[in-house]
Amino acid sequence: MLNFIYYPVSFILWCWHKVFGFVLGDDNAIAWILAIMFLTFTVRGIMFKPFVNQVRSMKKMQEFAPELKRVQKKYANDKQRQAAEMQKLQKEHGVNPLGSCLPMVLQIPVFIGLNWVLRSFTNKPLDQKTENYFFDHAGVESYVNAKLFGVNIGDAIHHASVLGGTGGGWNWNVAPVAVPLMILASVLTHLTARHSAARQAATATEAQPQAALMQKLTMYIFPLGVLVFGAFFPIGLLVYWLSNNGWTLMQQRLVYTRIDKEEAAKKAEAKEKRDALAPKPGAKPKPGAKPVQPKNETKTESTDEENESSANGQQSNGKRSPKAGSPHRFAQQGQRPQGSGGQRKKSAQGGKNSGQKGSGQKRR
């Protein structure tokens, strides 16, 4: 039923076994382990671009996480409207919340296919097994005879029938080889998840409940699952899990470093553009260029200029400017000193008496 998965996985494994079997020998367990590891690297190399897209999607989610949080607060009582607004915001930013799960989802068929192919080598007696997908009888015999520290790489601590095994109880002789691989695979799974979670801002995980849930699963549940259920995995499948997480950790470091350099280059380029447009210290303004002034200062200066121009205009026309405080806009005169007023009064009276005297003399 799943031959469309089994045949490609078997073909890639067959190709790499031919390469390393030519150098180390077909029955060598190291050749089979290297073939399984490079099968993993081949699949992960094919999925490199989706992984980069996943990292960029996570970066975008961090950028607009505050907006998502505002939407959640705004429509806290209307979950339907909240979901619609969040989907709209994600569409505007070009972010797919399921994009971060895509590389992991793509690895599930490979895991299932490799598990089935490895178990198919030994699910029947060797004299009844003529082929295993791309492997012929000689290939099956080579796999069965390959031993690592006296343990066949197709053996498991327990061949659970649920996972495709043939049953048969516990094989504790496999534990000295399987348990160290289980522990190492569990630790690498946790380190990979922790390294990925360290890149995500707290606001992004709060705004995206799916991302927060997936983060907890990958950091704690998956490593624990490898440690517990690894007892039911063949040695070859544990090698796949170990090499897969080792590749992921290395790939994360390389991709994150590259993206950080790209962002630093963009920031430096934007700063250079701002510095190029800004005037240099001590540089004179260009002819005709108007200095940029704040609105309040410009308004105040223009008012002062209008007052000065009006005052100059009135002085040039020979008119006195009205003094402030006069409601009729007449010039207010100051109080005259009493001494001068008394002199003027006396002079006025003296003039009157002199005039009267003069007129009386004429009549005579």
Side-chain angles (χ1 to χ4, degrees):
M1 184 175 65
L2 296 178
N3 287 339
F4 67 95
I5 297 176
Y6 302 150
Y7 273 101
V9 171
S10 176
F11 175 72
I12 299 172
L13 182 63
W14 177 82
C15 291
W16 284 116
H17 177 255
K18 285 294 182 183
V19 172
F20 294 108
F22 178 78
V23 177
L24 301 174
D26 290 340
D27 297 341
N28 195 319
I30 302 298
W32 280 101
I33 289 174
L34 289 174
I36 294 171
M37 292 177 64
F38 276 81
L39 161 68
T40 309
F41 299 157
T42 302
V43 175
R44 294 306 305 272
I46 295 171
M47 293 189 298
F48 179 77
K49 189 173 181 180
F51 176 80
V52 175
N53 294 337
Q54 171 198 3
V55 175
R56 296 190 185 278
S57 177
M58 289 168 55
K59 189 66 178 176
K60 288 183 180 179
M61 287 173 61
Q62 293 179 16
E63 292 174 356
F64 73 93
E67 300 179 33
L68 284 175
K69 205 169 182 180
R70 284 195 293 269
V71 169
Q72 289 176 346
K73 289 183 178 180
K74 186 176 180 181
Y75 303 103
N77 298 326
D78 190 354
K79 297 297 181 182
Q80 187 175 0
R81 180 70 182 277
Q82 182 188 106
E85 291 295 328
M86 289 177 67
Q87 289 179 0
K88 182 180 178 182
L89 194 61
Q90 290 168 355
K91 188 176 181 181
E92 289 176 358
H93 288 80
V95 173
N96 184 6
L98 298 178
S100 58
C101 305
L102 183 61
M104 187 175 296
V105 171
L106 292 177
Q107 293 178 51
I108 294 175
V110 180
F111 180 82
I112 294 173
L114 184 60
N115 175 63
W116 183 261
V117 170
L118 293 180
R119 291 185 185 277
S120 297
F121 279 110
T122 56
N123 61 356
K124 290 183 180 180
L126 186 59
D127 56 348
Q128 299 178 12
K129 193 72 177 177
T130 57
E131 60 182 12
N132 184 23
Y133 298 101
F134 267 91
F135 291 93
D136 55 8
H137 182 74
V140 174
E141 187 176 359
S142 171
Y143 181 84
V144 172
N145 293 329
K147 304 221 179 255
L148 181 66
F149 300 108
V151 177
N152 187 275
I153 58 175
D155 285 340
I157 297 177
H158 190 285
H159 291 281
S161 57
V162 177
L163 298 175
T166 56
W170 296 90
N171 303 315
W172 295 110
N173 62 315
V174 183
V177 179
V179 171
L181 291 175
M182 290 161 51
I183 295 173
L184 192 56
S186 179
V187 170
L188 275 178
T189 303
H190 176 74
L191 291 177
T192 302
R194 180 176 289 276
H195 186 262
S196 177
R199 298 281 305 184
Q200 301 180 23
T203 52
T205 54
E206 290 177 4
Q208 287 286 342
Q210 301 92 345
L213 178 62
M214 185 57 64
Q215 187 181 107
K216 291 180 180 178
L217 286 174
T218 54
M219 283 183 64
Y220 301 107
I221 304 301
F222 286 178
L224 184 62
V226 174
L227 191 60
V228 173
F229 293 100
F232 305 101
F233 295 161
I235 300 295
L237 202 61
L238 290 173
V239 170
Y240 164 79
W241 195 276
L242 184 62
S243 57
N244 182 60
N245 284 280
W247 173 278
T248 303
L249 187 61
M250 179 191 67
Q251 184 175 252
Q252 283 180 350
R253 291 184 178 276
L254 292 176
V255 172
Y256 291 159
T257 303
R258 179 181 175 184
I259 290 178
D260 289 342
K261 288 182 179 179
E262 289 179 0
E263 292 181 355
K266 288 180 181 179
K267 290 180 181 179
E269 185 179 355
K271 187 176 182 300
E272 288 178 1
K273 288 182 179 179
R274 289 196 303 267
D275 294 343
L277 294 175
K280 297 181 179 179
K284 296 182 179 180
K286 296 180 180 180
K290 296 181 179 180
V292 180
Q293 297 177 348
K295 294 182 179 180
N296 295 333
E297 294 180 2
T298 307
K299 188 175 181 180
T300 306
E301 290 178 0
S302 62
T303 307
D304 295 340
E305 290 176 359
E306 290 176 1
N307 294 336
E308 290 178 2
S309 62
S310 62
N312 294 334
Q314 289 177 359
Q315 289 177 3
S316 62
N317 294 333
K319 297 180 181 179
R320 297 176 63 184
S321 60
K323 195 170 183 180
S326 175
H328 303 290
R329 302 181 66 84
F330 293 116
Q332 295 180 356
Q333 298 179 357
Q335 295 181 358
R336 297 176 180 176
Q338 295 180 0
S340 61
Q343 291 176 359
R344 288 183 182 180
K345 189 173 181 180
K346 289 181 180 179
S347 63
Q349 291 177 357
K352 186 177 181 181
N353 293 333
S354 63
Q356 290 177 357
K357 187 177 181 182
S359 62
Q361 290 176 357
K362 267 188 177 181
R363 287 173 185 166
R364 288 180 185 177

